[in-house]
Amino acid sequence: MRLLLVEDDDHVAAALSAILAKHGFAVTHARNGEEALQAVLPTDQGERPSFGVILLDLGLPDQDGYQVCGRIRKLTSTPVIMVTARGDVRSRIHGLNLGADDYVVKPYDPGELLARIHAVSRRNSAPEDTPGASADGTRLRLGPVTVELPTRRVSVDGESIPLTRKEFDLLALLAQRPGVVFRREQIISEVWHTSWEGTGRTLEVHVASLRSKLRMPALIETVRGVGYRLVVPAA
């Protein structure tokens, strides 16, 4: 996923960019509001930059971050996360009213920021665009596999398959975007809500358990060195 980082402090931007890159994000750095606005404008060929999320600092040198957010929102529907030291309630409310999708106060834990990035990008992906999804996006049909999100039920050819809470969360995450490769770090962040690398072995165990319980070893494909993706089986 490509991210637009709007941050005037080069040291802060470099440190955050390194963390994001480690977790598989490609970062474009804008040092002020004007650079940020130019980054989201269509190219001369009419192509619009495909940023997954915009991280927006409010204390910019050329214009207030709130103003930048309002202008960005008129140009693109890309999720915006305000990342700022302004932690009072009025500032939060004002930012959200201007169209920000989330608001993170400095200093923050990198794991929390990563979780929020994944959360807003997931919300921005419409469930109804998923092949086999019901009209309201609450039931996913993937060949013989059915995943019911509200009731947390999974069945194969009509047979109910009991899963643990984390097994269901993992399957539901992959099933909402079949064919899309999820990085290990992203899965760990969204399912286990942590950035601890030691969770990697737990992820492998849960993938193996799902393959066994669903009796479909090929359902979840390992993308070596990257992560996992769900492969829709034939009915």
Side-chain angles (χ1 to χ4, degrees):
M1 181 194 301
R2 290 181 62 201
L3 297 182
L4 176 60
L5 172 60
V6 188
E7 169 63 61
D8 66 310
D9 189 318
D10 286 343
H11 295 291
V12 172
L16 181 54
S17 294
I19 294 173
L20 293 170
K22 181 180 178 182
H23 287 81
F25 295 102
V27 180
T28 297
H29 178 205
R31 292 173 173 81
N32 55 53
E34 190 57 35
E35 286 186 13
L37 295 169
Q38 289 298 319
V40 300
L41 286 174
T43 64
D44 293 337
Q45 291 73 35
E47 298 178 357
R48 189 173 293 277
S50 56
F51 294 113
V53 173
I54 298 172
L55 301 179
L56 175 63
D57 183 29
L58 296 182
L60 301 175
D62 58 338
Q63 50 190 300
D64 188 81
Y66 289 128
Q67 179 183 359
V68 176
C69 180
R71 294 176 65 185
I72 285 176
R73 188 47 69 231
K74 293 178 181 178
L75 296 170
T76 176
S77 60
T78 300
V80 175
I81 300 178
M82 290 184 172
V83 184
T84 175
R86 304 179 193 177
D88 60 283
V89 175
R90 291 185 61 184
S91 295
R92 291 171 181 263
I93 293 174
H94 186 44
L96 295 171
N97 285 339
L98 283 172
D101 296 83
D102 206 343
Y103 196 105
V104 178
V105 179
K106 299 177 181 178
Y108 52 81
D109 180 83
E112 179 187 1
L113 180 61
L114 288 165
R116 289 175 182 266
I117 290 172
H118 292 313
V120 298
S121 62
R122 185 172 63 247
R123 290 199 300 266
N124 199 51
S125 300
E128 56 267 26
D129 291 340
T130 301
S134 60
D136 59 1
T138 61
R139 176 180 294 180
L140 309 176
R141 295 188 61 87
L142 307 157
V145 181
T146 300
V147 180
E148 299 181 20
L149 300 179
T151 59
R152 300 177 65 85
R153 294 183 67 251
V154 175
S155 60
V156 178
D157 288 327
E159 177 188 351
S160 182
I161 306 296
L163 300 179
T164 67
R165 182 167 61 89
K166 290 302 184 185
E167 287 171 350
F168 179 87
D169 290 344
L170 172 57
L171 178 61
L173 175 65
L174 299 177
Q176 289 181 72
R177 300 183 69 185
V180 173
V181 178
F182 285 79
R183 297 186 64 85
R184 292 168 58 86
E185 297 89 350
Q186 179 182 358
I187 298 172
I188 291 170
S189 173
E190 296 202 28
V191 176
W192 280 271
H193 308 293
T194 181
S195 59
W196 181 49
E197 295 181 359
T199 314
R201 178 56 183 163
T202 301
L203 170 58
E204 294 172 0
V205 170
H206 279 70
V207 169
S209 179
L210 277 175
R211 289 167 172 164
S212 176
K213 286 186 176 182
L214 299 175
R215 301 185 296 278
M216 292 183 177
L219 179 68
I220 302 176
E221 178 183 354
T222 301
V223 181
R224 190 174 300 277
V226 182
Y228 299 93
R229 67 179 164 197
L230 187 140
V231 179
V232 180

